[in-house]
Amino acid sequence: SALTIDPVKTGFQEYETKMNAIQVIKANTRGKNTMDEIVAALDDLNTYADKTIYNFAQMTSNIGKFTAQGLNVKQATEAVKGMANLAAASGASAEDMARATYQMSQSLSGTIKMIDWNSLRNANMATTELKNTLIALAKVHGITIDKMIAEEGTFEQTLSKGWLTGEMFTEAMNIYSGVYSEAELKAKGFTDSQIKNFQELAAMAESAATEVKTFSQLWDVLKETAQSGWTQTWELIIGD
């Protein structure tokens, strides 16, 4: 039933989720993205969701929140993938990831404060690797982060200075999603050893998100794939 009858209904629900998401994204990205670009981004996200332990509905909802903060649909898609990879690498559940992504999306147009960081911590996503990535980003942006940590005592306490912008956090998520090429990372000012570390980090995070390790995860992936197939069927029948 879970792989034959149920996906007909859940596929229709996912289809409606996609239609609503297109409407929200179009409203948030007026002039930035064409209809074809929005549909292509959502299809890309759906393919990614099918391969991971996270579901399309949650990730689509998060894209709408990211575009509401000024990101175009491609930037939002890569940022959501990065959040999912970060969550998988840190062992966070889909629910934890969704809550943390919602909190972080509210700060993307400004700066990341302690309350936002605490949402990542509560989801077990405030890892040492993430801190090191953000510190490396701060340095290439000309921020004296080492001095701030020495003065404030901890990385978390430095956030009160307002140095961690939403744009910089999005860059970190792009590193986790592996969107940057070696040339792009070098152009940003990273060293060869940092670039190698980022590439390994992205590969490890994607592996954590896409490699099924338990029977429960396998079952979730199978149901998500069957559901997505019916989503495409409903789209062909009714239209987009």
Side-chain angles (χ1 to χ4, degrees), residues 13-194:
Q13 291 170 342
E14 186 174 289
Y15 163 75
E16 289 188 320
T17 296
K18 184 177 178 180
M19 296 306 100
N20 289 331
I22 288 173
Q23 181 179 341
V24 171
I25 293 167
K26 279 190 71 177
N28 290 337
T29 62
R30 283 184 300 170
K32 292 182 183 178
N33 294 111
T34 64
M35 182 68 173
D36 286 344
E37 288 171 335
I38 293 171
V39 172
L42 290 178
D43 286 343
D44 177 41
L45 189 68
N46 200 4
T47 300
Y48 173 85
D50 284 349
K51 295 189 296 182
T52 69
I53 58 175
Y54 303 112
N55 70 62
F56 176 68
Q58 288 172 322
M59 299 179 80
T60 303
S61 174
N62 290 329
I63 280 196
K65 296 181 181 75
F66 276 48
T67 56
Q69 298 301 317
L71 275 65
N72 66 41
V73 70
K74 190 175 188 315
Q75 291 171 327
T77 301
E78 296 301 339
V80 169
K81 283 185 186 178
M83 287 292 289
N85 284 353
L86 168 62
S90 55
S93 68
E95 290 72 25
D96 286 338
M97 187 270 284
R99 282 195 298 271
T101 303
Y102 172 75
Q103 179 66 43
M104 300 307 293
S105 72
Q106 306 305 299
S107 308
L108 291 183
S109 58
T111 58
I112 309 301
K113 302 294 187 185
M114 180 67 85
I115 188 172
D116 306 309
W117 188 260
N118 283 341
S119 70
L120 289 176
R121 180 185 287 160
N122 293 337
N124 297 317
M125 292 167 62
T127 62
T128 300
E129 285 285 4
L130 176 59
K131 289 181 190 177
N132 290 340
T133 300
L134 291 170
I135 288 171
L137 270 169
K139 289 178 180 177
V140 298
H141 280 280
I143 298 166
T144 56
I145 186 63
D146 288 337
K147 181 182 177 183
M148 276 195 275
I149 292 174
E151 291 174 348
E152 298 297 322
T154 64
F155 170 87
E156 288 81 1
Q157 293 300 325
T158 67
L159 296 176
S160 62
K161 300 288 186 182
W163 65 269
L164 181 52
T165 64
E167 183 178 350
M168 199 181 301
F169 185 80
T170 302
E171 281 188 75
M173 292 305 96
N174 285 340
I175 288 172
Y176 269 85
S177 66
V179 68
Y180 295 131
S181 67
E182 184 175 342
E184 287 173 321
L185 288 170
K186 193 176 285 288
K188 286 179 179 290
F190 294 112
T191 65
D192 288 341
S193 62
Q194 285 177 318

Side-chain angles (χ1 to χ4, degrees), residues 2-3 52-53 211-224:
L3 296 178
T52 69
I53 58 175
E211 288 184 5
V212 174
K213 302 169 191 67
T214 66
F215 182 78
S216 296
Q217 288 179 350
L218 172 63
W219 193 245
D220 287 343
V221 170
L222 287 172
K223 288 193 293 184
E224 180 71 22

